[in-house]
Amino acid sequence: MKVTTSPLTRTMRSACDKLKTVHSARSERDGAIVLTRNPLQLSLLLLTIAVLLIRPFSVPFVPTQSNVDNPRYTISATIAENTDTGNPSAQRLQSSPAPPVLALTNRSVENFSDIFNQGKWTTSWACAEPSLEPLASRLPETCLKSKAENTRTKYSGAFNRFCKWCSRYNISSLPASDYNVSLYLIHLSDTCNSVATIDEAFYAISWPHKLCGFPDPCTSFLPISTREGCHRSIGHRGRNKKEPISPDILKNICLLYGNNSCNLLDLRIACMCVLSFSGFLRFSELVNLRRSDIQIFDDYLTLNVQKSKTDRYKKGTTVYISGTGQITCPIMITKRYLEKANISECSDEFIFRSVCFCKSSQSYILKGHKSLSYTRAREILLSTLESIGLDKRQFGLHSLRAGGATAAANAGICDRLFKKHGRWRSESAKDGYVKENLEQHLIVTKHIGI
């Protein structure tokens, strides 16, 4: 029986014969293509060959909205599209795999030490010259030093809290999307009611993204607008800003705790208040004062502030405090306190430490070598203010620095000296400490010529 073939089959068979020579090497190598005279198999074979030939001209991979937030998936899909085309860029992508997503949702970051095995740190410098290895090993530590130690500690805690929140909803914390960061800021505004916490989280999320070379979600319009909206929302709820301590309050403290009959326990709080008030000292600056940092002269004393919040490079700052001859005189109270504490002039000990009562000498003495904690210092101050009839809820340790700054501003001290004495870096920070009295408020109207 004679078998007839259609024109389409004959055409396909002819094309297959022509392609046999081209693909014979490939067929013998991998066995993937076996030529046959079966019309159906030939049709499928030609269709497959046509797809392979036109694939380089097909539409490139375009990520959809569902996978935009996953860089690893996007890059892997792009590699899959280009692998069979002979595209050189595909080989480069395969040799430099996508940065892995940092699995921080179930564990914490210790001062960002885990950051340096992610993102660019796994690809950009993986093949560094051996001769540069000593310098490359110091790069992570040097990058971390761009922020102060206290700042790194705060950022680490804030970023860990963000990671835990991401873990709760099974979303990526590094890299994070601007959408998820915005939602987290709203979450913080509902739970913490603090502008400072919002800002801390904002910068704590931004910094590790920059370190790893990931796109910074905090530079996007969405989280920036969300942050501003949270600021306004929290501001509308009202904030209980602490009142500054006035010179009259300081005088009442010294009358009760700084007179000649006072013991070491009383003189400690009087000396702390006077030095903080007159030197515009932050608590960290006050509590870290050592005896060797204090030099007392006839009519003034100097404080060597070794570390300060605004002293980025730890150069140290000298604060000059004048004597006044009154009961609140910083020189007189400091001298009496140091004598009672029995701290020698050449000592390198902290001057504000814990105090205990010695039964053998029936007197108070300093104990230990650690400086006074923030919690204990705050308890002492609030108890002191309550003992002179004030509402302790209106004050805090920062009230002493704010009180000294307010008194200086109301006395008409020029801005340059005022700012330098308080170690402020910006005008806005300085002005935030000042609470003008009634006379300062009225002085504007008195001098406008009406």
Side-chain angles (χ1 to χ4, degrees):
M1 181 177 180
K2 184 177 180 180
V3 179
T4 60
T5 57
S6 65
L8 176 62
T9 303
R10 289 195 298 271
T11 303
M12 294 174 62
R13 183 179 298 169
S14 176
C16 182
D17 292 337
K18 292 179 181 180
L19 292 173
K20 181 176 180 180
T21 304
V22 177
H23 296 284
S24 59
R26 181 177 177 182
S27 301
E28 293 174 359
R29 183 178 67 253
D30 51 29
I33 303 174
V34 179
L35 297 180
T36 179
R37 294 188 177 275
N38 187 305
L40 179 61
Q41 292 184 6
L42 283 174
S43 301
L44 295 176
L45 177 61
L46 287 175
L47 181 61
T48 303
I49 294 173
V51 171
L52 290 175
L53 290 176
I54 68 174
R55 193 168 185 176
F57 307 101
S58 62
V59 179
F61 174 78
V62 178
T64 61
Q65 187 62 34
S66 61
N67 57 45
V68 163
D69 293 334
N70 193 339
R72 179 169 54 186
Y73 173 79
T74 303
I75 296 176
S76 299
T78 307
I79 294 174
E81 287 292 324
N82 293 323
T83 299
D84 295 331
T85 66
N87 191 344
S89 63
Q91 298 177 359
R92 288 196 296 270
L93 284 173
Q94 286 178 322
S95 61
S96 299
V101 176
L102 184 59
L104 291 174
T105 52
N106 295 321
R107 61 189 177 91
S108 61
V109 178
E110 196 66 32
N111 278 336
F112 296 105
S113 59
D114 296 336
I115 293 295
F116 298 102
N117 57 4
Q118 305 299 322
K120 67 169 66 174
W121 302 94
T122 62
T123 57
S124 299
W125 303 302
C127 300
E129 289 291 334
S131 59
L132 295 177
E133 184 61 29
L135 295 177
S137 63
R138 294 166 53 191
L139 190 56
E141 180 184 0
T142 307
C143 288
L144 288 178
K145 286 182 178 179
S146 65
K147 300 292 183 184
E149 182 178 357
N150 289 340
T151 303
R152 295 199 304 269
T153 302
K154 288 183 178 180
Y155 281 8
S156 178
F159 189 69
N160 285 337
R161 289 189 287 273
F162 174 64
C163 292
K164 291 179 181 178
W165 183 82
C166 290
S167 175
R168 189 184 312 166
Y169 299 101
N170 195 26
I171 57 180
S172 173
S173 58
L174 187 72
S177 68
D178 56 351
Y179 177 76
N180 291 333
V181 172
S182 301
L183 296 183
Y184 179 65
L185 295 181
I186 296 175
H187 163 74
L188 289 180
S189 69
D190 292 338
T191 55
C192 67
N193 197 29
S194 171
V195 171
T197 304
I198 298 291
D199 290 342
E200 184 178 86
F202 186 86
Y203 293 113
I205 295 171
S206 172
W207 196 48
H209 281 79
K210 293 177 181 178
L211 285 177
C212 289
F214 291 128
D216 183 3
C218 297
T219 59
S220 175
F221 177 78
L222 186 61
I224 292 175
S225 300
T226 304
R227 176 191 172 205
E228 181 65 25
C230 291
H231 281 195
R232 292 176 180 270
S233 176
I234 292 174
H236 291 163
R237 301 171 196 167
R239 297 177 61 190
N240 183 23
K241 189 172 182 178
K242 301 301 182 182
E243 292 291 323
I245 288 178
S246 65
D248 290 336
I249 294 176
L250 184 65
K251 186 178 295 184
N252 290 334
I253 291 175
C254 291
L255 284 172
L256 187 60
Y257 295 96
N259 57 64
N260 294 329
S261 62
C262 289
N263 54 37
L264 178 64
L265 190 64
D266 297 335
L267 284 172
R268 182 182 62 175
I269 184 60
C271 187
M272 288 173 58
C273 291
V274 167
L275 289 182
S276 293
F277 188 94
S278 59
F280 302 177
L281 298 180
R282 303 177 178 89
F283 171 74
S284 60
E285 298 169 348
L286 173 73
V287 78
N288 286 313
L289 282 177
R290 300 175 183 269
R291 179 62 184 91
S292 56
D293 296 327
I294 303 174
Q295 292 187 359
I296 301 177
F297 302 93
D298 293 337
D299 54 353
Y300 71 97
L301 63 83
T302 63
L303 304 177
N304 179 28
V305 180
Q306 297 184 11
K307 294 192 301 182
S308 178
K309 178 181 178 180
T310 54
D311 185 10
R312 297 176 60 183
Y313 303 112
K314 304 297 182 291
K315 296 179 179 179
T317 307
T318 301
V319 179
Y320 296 86
I321 300 177
S322 174
T324 62
Q326 302 181 17
I327 193 171
T328 53
C329 176
I331 296 178
M332 179 184 66
I333 292 182
T334 302
K335 277 184 176 180
R336 289 174 53 205
Y337 172 70
L338 294 176
E339 290 174 0
K340 283 280 187 181
N342 195 25
I343 303 177
S344 63
E345 188 174 348
C346 59
S347 174
D348 198 38
E349 295 179 307
F350 294 112
I351 65 171
F352 296 118
R353 310 198 303 270
S354 298
V355 174
C356 65
F357 185 76
C358 181
K359 294 183 179 180
S360 59
S361 61
Q362 291 295 304
S363 62
Y364 287 95
I365 60 172
L366 294 177
K367 70 172 184 178
H369 301 285
K370 293 184 178 179
S371 59
L372 204 61
S373 68
Y374 176 90
T375 304
R376 181 55 183 151
R378 185 174 181 273
E379 289 176 353
I380 294 171
L381 175 63
L382 297 185
S383 176
T384 301
L385 295 174
E386 190 175 31
S387 68
I388 61 176
L390 297 175
D391 184 3
K392 64 180 183 180
R393 293 173 297 180
Q394 298 181 2
F395 302 94
L397 283 175
H398 231 50
S399 297
L400 292 164
R401 175 173 165 85
T406 297
N410 291 333
I413 305 299
C414 73
D415 284 349
R416 184 181 65 84
L417 291 176
F418 181 93
K419 186 177 177 180
K420 186 174 183 180
H421 190 74
R423 300 161 303 286
W424 285 288
R425 294 179 59 188
S426 66
E427 292 292 331
S428 58
K430 170 183 70 68
D431 294 339
Y433 282 82
V434 178
K435 183 176 182 180
E436 291 82 1
N437 56 24
L438 179 60
E439 183 180 352
Q440 293 294 319
H441 283 291
L442 298 177
I443 197 172
V444 177
T445 312
K446 289 180 180 180
H447 291 79
I448 61 175
I450 60 174

